[in-house]
Amino acid sequence: MPADPLIDFDANATTRVDPRVVEAMLPFWTENYGNPSGGYRFGKIAANAVRKAREQVARLLGCEPEAVLFTSGGTEANATAIHSALELNPSRKRLVTSSVEHHAVIKPLEALEAHGYSVTRVGVDGKGNLDTIDIDHIINNETALVSLMAANNETGVLFPVEALASKARERGVFFHTDAIQAAGKVPLKVSETAISFMSISAHKIHGPKGVGALYIDRRVAFRPLFLGGGQEGGKRAGTENVPGIVGLGVAAELAAEALENERTEVAALRDFFERSVLERISGVRVNGGGACRLPNTTNLAFEGIEAEGALIMLDRAGICASAGSACTAGSLAPSHVLTAMGFSRERARSSLRFSFSRFNTRAEVERVLEVLPGIVARLRGL
Ligand SMILES: Cc1ncc(COP(=O)(O)O)c(C=O)c1O
């Protein structure tokens, strides 16, 4: 364990569970352990808790509760959307996505390619913005699904998913967005858009791990991924993870309340950190700077260092940050997001992501600013 108190600047990997979330979940492991499908009053307590959580998530997403499907996390939400779109469009063999998606979209689409689907990966420019020039030709009547993330987990760059979803709908094409990083950080009003599916994950918004949700536009047809019992209105078989769902519900409610704080306080923390690093350390560039970004994320390239070394030294000082997404940490491959932005392997491998949450403080930023220049100087001297 680090000697210093932990400073967690890796909120895009996961977040501290809010104590109010833990408190709300506890009774559903202890006295209220009933099965929501039970016809007796004990079961109804759990069923009512699930219903309340659905309303809380719906308020965060800006949709009707009936449009919310609970899943085992963001990865399953993504897989469910992809599966449904393909089941309903057996004759359409084309998929559209971006070159900077999370592996929870990349990998299922790669697997589909191996089964005869063709996948078009729309590129990004040097700021991380999606290259939408050819999009009108790319989305056509052979397309089964467009899947584009709302916000990038590495750079925080936002994609114009609402406008792109409208284009997809004009052509009768399902549109999925992985909003796992966007939810709770930027306002969402999904039912006012042409988006067919939107994925979120509890552990990115101070909720528990292993639970998430998929928004499903009630105007579009749906085919379940899991078959079995009739839970979730027949849309997802399997006894509900009641404590997790309760936790997601409370996390969503708290995230909705804290949205303004993200835009002001969390953004101010990120901006102060970014500005100070640029002032105090030479040869630093902001990956995704100049694009519309999440308020909590900064991705910085430190000329002449290896991010892996910096992460180890930061860790020794009790500081968590990340190079690329957490799922690929430990691998030496440069980030696919940064290379898609046209950066060299060197720049990609010299980049660190710092992502903040409402639990971070100015004092923590000051502490990291004390340590980071020395770490960069030492690595540059090697
Ligand atoms: C953009 C994005 N999509 C999907 C996921 C996967 O979500 P989960 O960990 O809930 O399966 C993550 C988590 O890192 C993510 O950042």
Side-chain angles (χ1 to χ4, degrees):
M1 279 302 284
D4 303 301
L6 184 83
I7 297 181
D8 180 9
F9 285 177
D10 202 13
N12 287 8
T14 198
T15 52
R16 175 192 293 266
V17 182
D18 192 298
R20 292 166 288 181
V21 169
V22 178
E23 199 187 329
M25 291 171 73
L26 274 176
F28 294 93
W29 272 306
T30 52
E31 66 266 30
N32 293 331
Y33 61 85
N35 188 325
S37 303
Y40 33 79
R41 269 180 301 151
F42 189 46
K44 292 277 182 302
I45 296 171
N48 285 339
V50 170
R51 184 176 44 72
K52 181 175 172 196
R54 207 182 302 283
E55 289 164 4
Q56 289 164 315
V57 171
R59 273 197 292 277
L60 178 68
L61 301 186
C63 66
E64 327 76 65
E66 296 73 22
V68 175
L69 174 74
F70 291 116
T71 66
S72 68
T75 301
E76 186 194 317
N78 288 346
T80 302
I82 296 166
H83 170 83
S84 179
L86 301 193
E87 282 271 300
L88 286 160
N89 278 319
S91 61
R92 295 185 178 203
K93 298 291 179 199
R94 287 180 178 276
L95 300 157
V96 176
T97 188
S98 81
S99 50
V100 297
E101 297 295 312
H102 188 273
H103 284 109
V105 167
I106 293 179
K107 294 286 176 183
L109 297 196
E110 278 177 4
L112 288 164
E113 266 179 319
H115 285 92
Y117 283 86
S118 97
V119 179
T120 304
R121 294 174 181 85
V122 182
V124 294
D125 66 15
K127 289 180 181 163
N129 289 317
L130 197 68
D131 177 7
T132 51
I133 285 179
D134 294 326
I135 208 84
D136 285 321
H137 301 294
I138 292 172
I139 304 175
N140 58 36
N141 59 13
E142 289 173 29
T143 311
L145 174 72
V146 179
S147 181
L148 292 167
M149 66 201 323
N152 188 272
N153 45 302
E154 294 191 30
T155 59
V157 173
L158 301 166
F159 283 169
V161 285
E162 295 188 8
L164 296 166
S166 299
K167 286 186 188 290
R169 184 187 279 173
E170 281 164 23
R171 293 163 180 77
V173 176
F174 288 111
F175 189 95
H176 165 246
T177 186
D178 173 340
I180 289 160
Q181 293 295 342
K185 296 174 190 159
V186 290
L188 303 168
K189 283 212 170 80
V190 68
S191 67
E192 293 176 13
T193 72
I195 292 168
S196 331
F197 304 107
M198 177 184 273
S199 307
I200 67 158
S201 177
H203 75 103
K204 310 290 185 182
I205 57 166
H206 304 287
K209 292 166 184 62
V211 58
L214 180 68
Y215 160 83
I216 305 169
D217 183 347
R218 294 173 71 208
R219 292 162 292 194
V220 307
F222 178 76
R223 290 283 181 277
L225 179 60
F226 294 172
L227 303 173
Q231 292 89 351
E232 291 291 280
K235 292 195 174 83
R236 181 187 186 268
T239 302
E240 298 85 341
N241 169 9
V242 180
I245 289 170
V246 167
L248 169 57
V250 175
E253 183 169 317
L254 297 174
E257 284 168 14
L259 258 184
E260 183 56 18
N261 184 68
E262 280 296 311
R263 200 180 63 79
T264 55
E265 302 298 315
V266 177
L269 218 53
R270 186 275 309 268
D271 291 345
F272 170 62
F273 176 77
E274 192 174 279
R275 214 174 36 246
S276 305
V277 170
L278 292 172
E279 278 165 16
R280 295 179 199 190
I281 308 175
S282 62
V284 181
R285 280 169 297 176
V286 183
N287 299 324
C292 265
R293 281 183 296 163
L294 290 173
N296 81 319
T297 307
T298 182
N299 192 309
L300 301 170
F302 297 83
E303 212 175 278
I305 73 157
E306 285 281 342
E308 299 284 326
L311 288 181
I312 294 167
M313 290 162 91
L314 285 167
D315 187 29
R316 282 197 200 124
I319 299 160
C320 306
S322 146
S325 67
C327 313
T328 50
S331 86
L332 288 173
S335 143
H336 69 283
V337 175
L338 300 180
T339 47
M341 287 164 76
F343 301 144
S344 63
R345 282 176 75 85
E346 287 67 38
R347 177 159 171 177
R349 291 187 55 176
S350 73
S351 295
L352 294 172
R353 178 187 74 186
F354 299 88
S355 47
F356 304 88
S357 82
R358 63 175 186 259
F359 285 94
N360 291 126
T361 63
R362 173 104 175 186
E364 289 178 327
V365 171
E366 305 268 10
R367 166 84 190 123
V368 177
L369 289 170
E370 273 170 27
V371 174
L372 192 58
I375 290 178
V376 173
R378 252 176 293 156
L379 288 168
R380 283 178 177 165
L382 286 178

